[in-house]
Amino acid sequence: MGPHPAVAAIRLAVRRTLQDVLRDADALGRGPSGNDRPPLVLVACSGGADSMALASALAFEAPRLGLRAGGVTVDHGLQPGSDDRAREVVSRLEALSLAPAEAVTVTVGRAGGPEAAARTARYAALDEVAERHGAAAVLLGHTRDDQAETVLLGLARGSGTRSLSGMAAVSGSPTGRTGAGHRYRRPFLAVDRQTTRKACMVQSLPVWDDPHNADPSFTRSRVRHDALPALEKALGKGVVEALARTAQLSRDDADALDAWARDAERAVRADASDVANVTTGTGVALDVARLHALPSAVRRRVLRRVTVAAGSPAGSLFARHIEEIDRLITDWHGQRAINLPGRVAARRQGGTLVIRQV
């Protein structure tokens, strides 16, 4: 008799992810057949149902594929007794025979609001642990429900196709750490939260429900407990699945448009030799006529790419900034230079658009 269907589902999802990790490691000559130790895969575990289910599946599947498995929990220090909770999670990871298993304490700042600040601190800690242990990957327990919530949040921001594409199954570090291009893996993006909780229950795994997940002061909590149930009540069941499917379709579209924009950027670069002050610092000159001929979705991606390359922080560059630059191309009537985050300016000189730090 096989495992419970919920346990089988989480193990299959993790097995597929680990097979991808293994292929990547083999391509780099670091697989189990190489001279190095077997690759290490870490699970980021909060002690909640999603990450505990993930930890149990990793502990089961990794040895069968010749991989080492470890775990890490991050203590944000935002609740009384959080250090005790972190030690308890480490004990649970050790009970699953995960090694190394450790807790990392972080200091959460204020930049971007409490949710963004906690996320920044958490990923910085996970990056540090992964690099210290030479981990091939870090598994994250985001589920299909989390993906649906992310799509709704992106829709509320109104930032375009990329914001609707949700979380990627494979991603680099959001902190921009070098060498972390494929570090983070999300095996459960096609698994719902009910399945992970059921898998914990049938395996008698203790779980901890973070009170922040039910705190209405957090935007994601309101989406989870108010917005999504209201949508399902109004539209019927299947909203979560539809939003998750939208994320994948949007990601495919955004990836294609981004690839088009990379090629287009090379084609629209102007000859800067006759444009004053362009080559001073980090600047670029773009041919306005060629930009104008591009579809707007591609043109705006080109503008964002070159503006970030000129020194404007990606996290501070919003859709309204790109729209203002775009008007220098599509609605030109002698506007002054546009000041952008990171002391970057965009201005039009005749038939050339110049974007550079000032």
Side-chain angles (χ1 to χ4, degrees):
M1 183 176 178
H4 186 279
V7 176
I10 64 169
R11 288 178 178 176
L12 177 59
V14 169
R15 186 185 316 140
R16 288 171 172 168
T17 294
L18 294 182
Q19 288 169 342
D20 290 341
V21 172
L22 196 54
R23 278 192 289 270
D24 291 346
D26 283 338
L28 295 173
R30 298 173 184 170
S33 60
N35 295 325
D36 294 339
R37 296 178 67 192
L40 170 66
V41 178
L42 296 172
V43 57
C45 186
S46 67
D50 300 337
S51 59
M52 282 302 300
L54 183 59
S56 70
L58 175 63
F60 182 85
E61 294 291 344
R64 288 160 174 76
L65 293 172
L67 295 165
R68 292 181 294 137
V72 57
T73 188
V74 178
D75 175 12
H76 298 85
L78 298 177
Q79 301 172 22
S82 64
D83 53 343
D84 293 333
R85 185 79 59 189
R87 285 191 291 269
E88 184 178 344
V89 173
V90 170
S91 296
R92 294 176 186 175
L93 296 175
E94 291 173 338
L96 291 169
S97 300
L98 296 180
E102 64 179 87
V104 180
T105 302
V106 299
T107 300
V108 177
R110 297 183 178 181
E115 292 169 280
R119 180 176 180 270
T120 297
R122 179 167 59 255
Y123 276 104
L126 293 174
D127 283 336
E128 187 278 325
V129 174
E131 290 161 12
R132 175 157 43 87
H133 290 290
V138 178
L139 306 189
L140 304 175
H142 298 117
T143 65
R144 186 171 64 189
D145 301 78
D146 294 307
Q147 186 74 299
E149 294 161 9
T150 302
V151 173
L152 278 183
L153 289 168
L155 182 63
R157 285 193 296 267
S159 299
T161 306
R162 181 58 72 185
S163 70
L164 296 181
S165 63
M167 296 174 285
V170 181
S171 67
S173 171
T175 64
R177 295 285 270 266
T178 302
H182 296 87
R183 172 170 293 160
Y184 293 100
R185 315 274 175 142
R186 298 175 175 87
F188 288 170
L189 289 183
V191 177
D192 61 42
R193 195 172 289 143
Q194 183 177 358
T195 298
T196 62
R197 186 167 290 276
K198 186 67 173 180
C200 289
M201 186 182 74
V202 299
Q203 295 180 101
S204 299
L205 293 173
V207 299
W208 172 64
D209 291 317
D210 187 347
H212 280 174
N213 290 335
D215 187 343
S217 65
F218 294 102
T219 305
R220 184 175 287 270
S221 176
R222 296 195 298 274
V223 169
R224 178 174 303 177
H225 297 288
D226 298 331
L228 272 174
L231 283 174
E232 292 208 330
K233 183 178 180 180
L235 303 175
K237 295 293 183 181
V239 169
V240 168
E241 293 86 341
L243 288 170
R245 187 165 58 251
T246 296
Q248 186 56 59
L249 293 172
S250 297
R251 181 167 294 279
D252 292 343
D253 290 348
D255 287 346
L257 288 168
D258 286 346
W260 189 353
R262 285 193 295 271
D263 293 338
E265 181 186 342
R266 292 190 289 270
V268 300
R269 284 181 178 264
D271 181 359
S273 60
D274 297 324
V275 182
N277 300 321
V278 172
T279 57
T280 302
T282 55
V284 63
L286 304 175
D287 186 283
V288 168
R290 293 174 185 170
L291 278 170
H292 198 285
L294 292 173
S296 60
V298 178
R299 182 175 62 247
R300 293 185 183 194
R301 279 170 165 78
V302 171
L303 295 177
R304 179 177 178 82
R305 283 174 56 84
V306 298
T307 304
V308 170
S312 193
S316 302
L317 192 62
F318 302 134
R320 60 182 174 82
H321 295 128
I322 304 303
E323 289 170 1
E324 290 178 14
I325 304 172
D326 197 44
R327 279 195 286 272
L328 295 178
I329 302 163
T330 62
D331 186 25
W332 171 245
H333 48 270
Q335 299 99 306
R336 294 182 178 180
I338 297 169
N339 294 319
L340 301 161
R343 297 180 64 245
V344 172
R347 73 178 187 279
R348 181 164 170 171
Q349 291 183 217
T352 304
L353 179 68
V354 179
I355 300 176
R356 61 179 294 267
Q357 277 193 320
V358 293

